[in-house]
Amino acid sequence: MSPSRDSSSPAPTAAMIVIGDELLSGRTRDANTPHLAQALEKIGIRLREVRIVPDETEAIVEAVRALSAVHDHVFTSGGIGPTHDDITADAVARAFDRPIEINPEAHARLAAFYEARGIEMNPARLRMARMPAGARLIDNPVSAAPGFSIENVHVMAGVPSIFREMLAGLLPRLTGGAPLLVRGFLLRRPEGEIAAALGAIAAAHPDVAIGSYPSFRADGHETRIVLRSALPAALEAACQALTAAFADLVPDEHGPGNG
Amino acid sequence: MSPSRDSSSPAPTAAMIVIGDELLSGRTRDANTPHLAQALEKIGIRLREVRIVPDETEAIVEAVRALSAVHDHVFTSGGIGPTHDDITADAVARAFDRPIEINPEAHARLAAFYEARGIEMNPARLRMARMPAGARLIDNPVSAAPGFSIENVHVMAGVPSIFREMLAGLLPRLTGGAPLLVRGFLLRRPEGEIAAALGAIAAAHPDVAIGSYPSFRADGHETRIVLRSALPAALEAACQALTAAFADLVPDEHGPGNG
């Protein structure tokens, strides 16, 4: 089931809170944000901010309160496992001043999962059923322990394979917007050389976001240009202006949508 | 020259602001944060928050103001190139209510760089010399256009190779703290099984942060355990407690410091 679409209002916005000391130490790279960003773009939800915070209650509470107040959707990853450093559920409950409880459905799912595998349910594993009162479960087809949604915050696992599966089950429930259309181009020229003309095109096409990304290759400078808009006609007009301005413009074969 | 160290005060803290629409679209992965995190850990500066924000003035101003007020150091990457979407310098100037100007030294460096290469200095390239009044330059040995420091904010390039070189030149100027010592271990057991004992050890060793990270392999569950402390004796005591608790504990050969 596709998410419902509302093309008449400004596009819904989202923020991501990535929870985990290991990300702030540089030991682990955040794989969930790029995945989330691409998934949201397909359904027309604009990811507007990402915060990486430690496994600390106050840091999580502050981020959840700040971002849930200004965005339509907030996604979190990390900190919903069974160990002592998994404190996200308690922090999110506190952020919304809600009691935390053992969610009966989550408990039942975990109990069934462990029983089928001859694994002992213990207090640590039971922690994974602790959720704010009123939470709606997000399915975990990988390892049973659900994520949850409360108000406009969707709390999911940090392990990327589980995050992806949880997100896939969640997205059809969300209201998206007009999808953002994207076109990518390449110029074998340095940014400094093309900047004036590019800036003029950007100014002349206010409904299109034009980004410019340089790289330095052994055989010379290269600039990738990415155009994004929710309005197909505006995007097409800007692409035509770009093509007219730069005779050596080529499509970016490794650009968005092209693998 | 090593950064000066102050081992008597609480460790300095830092935040990172990663600026760029392309990161929020998922098209580009943030390589600078893990690099920064590891570099800071070596000199005892604790990275406490990362924010990824769009190439938009208000978003940058808000993040700079919020984070510079609560952390000893703020690092930014992105948005200091020559194109219309490079607005970081103006946003940072605005965040501190400072005028922006052409920095004479930055201008001289760019002019010399271009002249030596027969490249035309044009208004777009000159934009890269725009900096808040009073900025201190951060050297760019790759492509000349400097980064800059203003108050406690250090503004650097988004391109990873340039970010790394800029950071390498900047770090010796900063006051660090006692370096965080780290030890990593591996257990071929699921988190749920070890959580109770691990939690007890964490509670008994409050000067040591103990993180637990699960993975799921074809041949069974695995949990990585990372212990971090600025106090060598405390770290050693916690490692011994861990070894005593888990007979099958092994060093994590792919863990921190081990490649």
Side-chain angles (χ1 to χ4, degrees), chain A residues 126-146:
Chain A
L126 189 58
R127 286 187 75 233
M128 293 191 286
R130 283 167 63 80
M131 292 178 183
R136 180 176 179 183
L137 300 189
I138 297 172
D139 297 340
N140 172 358
V142 178
S143 54

Side-chain angles (χ1 to χ4, degrees), chain A residues 21-22 24 26-27 37-38 41 48 50-52 56 82-85 122 124 182 191-192 195 210 212-213 228 256, chain B residues 21-22 24 26-27 37-38 41 48 50-52 56 82-85 122 124 191-192 195 210 212-213 228 256:
Chain A
D21 291 349
E22 71 279 17
L24 293 169
R27 247 162 240 116
Q38 293 174 29
E41 192 166 87
R48 299 282 295 164
V50 177
R51 292 196 192 181
I52 307 180
E56 286 173 19
T83 52
H84 63 282
D85 56 337
N122 61 28
V182 187
E191 278 197 302
I210 302 183
S212 161
Y213 310 103
R228 295 173 299 129
Chain B
D21 291 349
E22 71 278 17
L24 293 168
R27 245 162 239 113
Q38 293 174 28
E41 192 165 87
R48 299 282 295 163
V50 177
R51 291 195 192 181
I52 308 180
E56 286 174 21
T83 52
H84 63 282
D85 55 338
N122 60 28
E191 279 196 301
I210 302 183
S212 162
Y213 309 104
R228 297 172 298 130

